[in-house]
Amino acid sequence: MNTGPGKGKTTAALGTAFRAVGQGLRVLMVQFIKGSWHYGELDAAQMLGEDRIQILAMGRGFVKIGAEKPDPEDVRKVEEAWQFASQQISSDEYDLVILDEINYAISYKMLDPEKVVEVLKNKPAAVHVILTGRNAHPSVVEAADLVTEMREVKHPFQQGILAQRGIDY
Ligand code: ATP
Ligand code: MG
């Protein structure tokens, strides 16, 4: 799992995906929140080929925050993504499954962490699962074998530099 406030959670997962593809493993990345922005990794995955790596954006690109309850449409999207992703983890289709920004969905109460723990505990031993996103839930941290926390030391954003093409998207 890659968590914490510093940059690099999703890109570290993509780095592992790149390595895994090189070793002939089949990779699936399910993106829980992303949906509208066009990320470079979507095209890079196509270049590698769908039989090696698939990236599916199953969110709406943004989630309204601040409201007391999450938008039902976002919850529905998260549930759909989770149902699909958990099926794929249990199937024998992939060697590495990345659940991108799933921690975000859990922390905004759009997904029950205990359901995630259950699937992680019962997954086929040979299947690797990487979860990303800030504010990892303690139960999921406990269930994971590997947890890295990205710590922010500096980020160009603090100088007013917004998302950069090829680096942030
Ligand atoms: P990346 O996708 O670049 O690895 P991330 O997965 O660690 O980033 P997220 O929490 O998913 O970070 O945030 C997504 C977006 O916010 C990315 O465009 C990322 O570059 C940017 N970002 C990440 N960390 C920071 C930060 N500490 N300050 C400002 N922007 C950030
Ligand atoms: Mg991310």
Side-chain angles (χ1 to χ4, degrees):
M1 172 194 290
N2 303 330
T3 190
K7 176 177 163 68
K9 298 173 288 295
T10 298
T11 48
L14 287 167
T16 309
F18 191 74
R19 177 175 282 171
V21 167
Q23 293 286 5
L25 305 191
R26 298 153 303 168
V27 180
L28 171 69
M29 177 185 250
V30 175
Q31 300 180 324
F32 277 77
I33 305 298
K34 290 165 187 167
S36 57
W37 270 53
H38 198 81
Y39 286 82
E41 52 265 37
L42 297 173
D43 295 328
Q46 289 268 310
M47 290 172 199
L48 289 170
E50 271 192 8
D51 50 330
R52 296 185 168 86
I53 177 166
Q54 279 188 284
I55 304 183
L56 300 176
M58 297 190 74
R60 286 203 292 173
F62 62 92
V63 167
K64 279 186 221 147
I65 51 166
E68 268 188 22
K69 277 195 169 167
D71 186 319
E73 179 59 16
D74 288 326
V75 177
R76 203 186 57 74
K77 284 267 185 198
V78 165
E79 279 169 357
E80 201 176 273
W82 171 245
Q83 210 191 355
F84 173 75
S86 53
Q87 260 170 21
Q88 299 307 313
I89 290 168
S90 315
S91 81
D92 214 15
E93 289 291 307
Y94 299 98
D95 304 296
L96 170 62
V97 178
I98 300 168
L99 308 172
D100 189 40
E101 312 302 345
I102 192 170
N103 290 342
Y104 192 92
I106 295 169
S107 75
Y108 280 96
K109 307 226 174 335
M110 296 186 284
L111 178 61
D112 178 359
E114 299 313 324
K115 286 189 187 166
V116 177
V117 167
E118 176 87 11
V119 166
L120 292 178
K121 290 218 161 118
N122 296 309
K123 73 171 179 59
V127 176
H128 298 281
V129 179
I130 301 178
L131 300 90
T132 86
R134 298 166 188 231
N135 304 320
H137 192 279
S139 310
V140 185
V141 169
E142 163 118 20
D145 297 317
L146 187 161
V147 179
T148 298
E149 195 166 63
M150 304 320 189
R151 181 169 69 91
E152 183 183 297
V153 178
K154 277 185 175 185
H155 192 290
F157 185 74
Q158 296 159 340
Q159 300 173 42
I161 299 168
L162 301 179
Q164 302 177 83
R165 187 168 70 92
I167 303 296
D168 294 301
Y169 64 94

